[in-house]
């Protein structure tokens, strides 16, 4: 049953984002930043974690979850390091994901020899 909920919740998130991309004049990058911010806000008010617990990867994979992870990192760093945690928490929480995206993206670019579109 978890697979069905993951599919439905993840599909709903992606469908809503696709509607925003198609029906608004917002650039896709701005929509993606908005998703991270919305995820951080939902994480701050403790709404997004129950959704991840319910839908698994369907809610844990989209950009909303990245914002939630950043907010969790900030909360934990503020609890342990005080005000300085506001600045350090997001970096610590997002470092592994961002680093792996850069490293694997570079490796794939070496294997497949990408070219610019004309």
């Amino acid at each position: 049953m978890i697979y069905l909920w993951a599919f439905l919740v993840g599909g709903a998130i992606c469908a809503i984002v696709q509607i925003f991309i198609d029906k608004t004049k917002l650039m896709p990058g701005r929509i993606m930043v908005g998703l991270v911010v919305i995820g951080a806000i939902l994480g701050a008010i403790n709404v997004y974690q129950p959704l991840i617990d319910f839908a698994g990867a369907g809610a844990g994979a989209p950009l909303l979850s990245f914002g939630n992870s950043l907010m969790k990192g900030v909360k934990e760093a503020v609890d342990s390091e005080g005000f300085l945690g506001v600045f350090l928490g997001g970096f610590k929480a997002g470092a592994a994901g961002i680093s792996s995206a850069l490293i694997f993206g570079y490796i794939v670019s070496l294997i497949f020899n990408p070219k610019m579109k004309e």
Side-chain angles (χ1 to χ4, degrees), residues 2 5-6 8-10 12-13 38-39 42-43 46-62 64-65 68:
I2 186 70
W5 288 120
L8 292 175
V9 171
I13 291 170
I38 291 169
L42 292 176
N46 295 320
V47 173
Y48 202 72
Q49 189 59 45
L51 184 62
I52 292 174
D53 294 340
F54 173 72
L64 291 168
S65 181
N68 180 48

Side-chain angles (χ1 to χ4, degrees), residues 57-80:
L63 279 174
L64 291 168
S65 181
F66 181 65
N68 180 48
S69 297
L70 292 177
M71 182 54 64
K72 263 199 276 187
V74 169
K75 282 182 181 179
E76 291 171 7
V78 166
D79 290 343
S80 66

